[in-house]
Amino acid sequence: MANGLKGRGRTEEQALKERGERGIRIGHLEYKNGFLELGMLSGNCFVITLRNLRVDAPETVNEVMQSIKTKGFINYYGMQRFGTASIPTHAIGLAILKSDWALAISLLLRPRPGEHTEIEAGRRAFLEEGNLSRALDLIPRRCVAERCILEYYQKSKGRNALEALSTIPRNLRLMYVHAYQSYVWNVVVSERVREHGCEKPVFDDLVYDNDPRENTGMDVDATPGDKGKKPQRGGKRPYVAPKIKVLSTEEDLKSYTIFDVIMPLPGRDVAYPGGQLGERYKEFLRLDGLDPDNLIHAQKDYTLLGSYRKIMHLPAQLSWSTLRYTDPDIALAQSDEDKILGFDPPVVEEHGRFMALQIQLQLGTAAYATMAIREITKMDTSSQTQAVLTQRSEDQKFKGGNEPAVEVEGEGEDAEVPVAEDEDEMLDA
């Protein structure tokens, strides 16, 4: 039951007065003649606080943020699309597309540096000792793909790699394949922006050949099982490939903006841009051992139909403010849950030692806040990099309101969050 009322020993009164588990609260539930599906989301709202901000002048912050507000940012797929481990999800997806089932299994089960000790021990128990029971005892249930494979091996007399992969939930298997499409998209869009910039359309760009407001849905790659499928009662409409226009005249260029330009995720049913970019898609797929002219897979689920994604994203709403603080453990933003519970908002320290930038951001479907932050800071937004920055940050010496006993010269000098002073785009996908 929601908010820990059942199985957590919480009373209804506690649920109404105390924070939910892990800061999560579910509300406004009601019965409907339908269900939620991938692609129904309207967008996301974020409150993001960047601490230990260092800028050469106060106006730099406003200049950079105003640029994002009016010019947007490259609509890259974020790092979380590809996983945070040393073995990225798109590498597993490529192995699946090439029908290299054994490699896909191997990539899923290999140890990953930095994993929790019980997960690493569980992997090694299977790979080095062949002890399936011990591996399953150690690997937690949140490792869904790994457990599905190991449970299959435990129950099956043989070790058929394709059958083992098929025990993984379909949505998770397709996530690996879609990650590969996203990886290709990021790379080719980087080349498009590097070659032509990101301010206006150019010849051979693609746009939707109808009202772009009809194409604001999430760019989820359709699968053969979706094509022609009747909608469930109250569910979303079945996937229909949109009509695409190639910009070929001066009048075309005047009729569209950079926010109309789309690029395809590779697949059977998409149009590719003209010129070198279209060839680059095919070249990239060939180098990875795929046939760009035949993306039909013997396993129906893995046939790529493709979809489209706009190359630039303009925030629906964006506002910001700078704050001062000293103790990095004191909250600077009030969550929606705390507002609902009537908790007092955080008290800002007017003369704090450090500066923070607080951003209120609303993005459309499938846009990544981490990519907006990447454009603001011009730095890696992966969880590993940000964790290292936090550990090295000078403000960590003031945790709990403590004054550091000794100032160590140079400590934390690389840990501040910079704000970019120019508008050059980061093009490395």
Side-chain angles (χ1 to χ4, degrees), residues 192 199-201 205-213 215-216 244-245 247 252-263 308-314:
R192 190 270 178 217
E199 294 184 352
K200 58 184 180 180
D205 273 340
L206 303 180
V207 297
Y208 290 118
D209 192 21
N210 49 21
D211 186 345
R213 289 173 294 182
N215 296 285
T216 56
I244 302 301
K245 177 182 180 68
L247 302 186
D252 287 341
L253 299 184
K254 294 176 183 178
S255 300
Y256 297 91
T257 73
I258 191 64
F259 298 108
D260 297 315
V261 176
I262 57 177
M263 291 284 273
Y308 299 92
R309 179 178 177 86
K310 293 186 176 181
I311 70 170
M312 298 294 293
H313 191 84
L314 191 67

Side-chain angles (χ1 to χ4, degrees), residues 11-154:
T11 66
E12 184 174 339
E13 183 179 4
Q14 287 174 319
L16 293 173
K17 293 183 178 180
E18 299 174 3
R19 290 188 177 100
E21 186 176 358
R22 299 184 182 181
I24 298 174
R25 178 170 293 268
I26 303 172
H28 303 290
L29 303 177
E30 58 181 298
Y31 288 101
K32 288 285 187 180
N33 291 327
F35 47 87
L36 292 176
E37 287 191 272
L38 197 62
M40 287 183 170
L41 186 68
S42 297
N44 290 292
C45 295
F46 306 87
V47 178
I48 302 169
T49 305
L50 302 177
R51 295 177 183 258
N52 198 17
L53 197 70
R54 302 289 181 87
V55 292
D56 60 341
E59 55 268 22
T60 298
V61 173
N62 290 332
E63 291 172 3
V64 171
M65 297 304 298
Q66 194 63 37
S67 175
I68 299 295
K69 186 173 185 177
T70 58
K71 298 182 179 181
F73 58 93
I74 304 175
N75 197 22
Y76 285 129
Y77 287 95
M79 295 297 294
Q80 55 268 51
R81 182 80 166 184
F82 311 106
T84 57
S86 57
I87 301 174
T89 53
H90 70 269
I92 301 169
L94 177 59
I96 291 174
L97 290 172
K98 294 171 71 174
S99 300
D100 194 339
W101 316 120
L103 177 58
I105 293 287
S106 174
L107 292 172
L108 282 165
L109 295 181
R110 286 178 192 174
R112 293 154 168 75
E115 275 191 319
H116 291 291
T117 54
E118 71 273 15
I119 301 177
E120 182 181 1
R123 293 183 189 278
R124 296 194 182 282
F126 171 69
L127 295 172
E128 297 175 7
E129 305 168 18
N131 192 331
L132 271 169
S133 297
R134 176 168 165 75
L136 286 167
D137 285 341
L138 289 168
I139 296 177
R141 296 193 178 278
R142 67 177 180 274
C143 299
V144 176
E146 291 87 343
R147 288 190 63 88
C148 284
I149 294 169
L150 295 177
E151 287 170 0
Y152 165 81
Y153 285 161
Q154 189 177 53

Side-chain angles (χ1 to χ4, degrees), residues 10 171 424:
R10 283 160 60 95
N171 284 349
D424 293 338

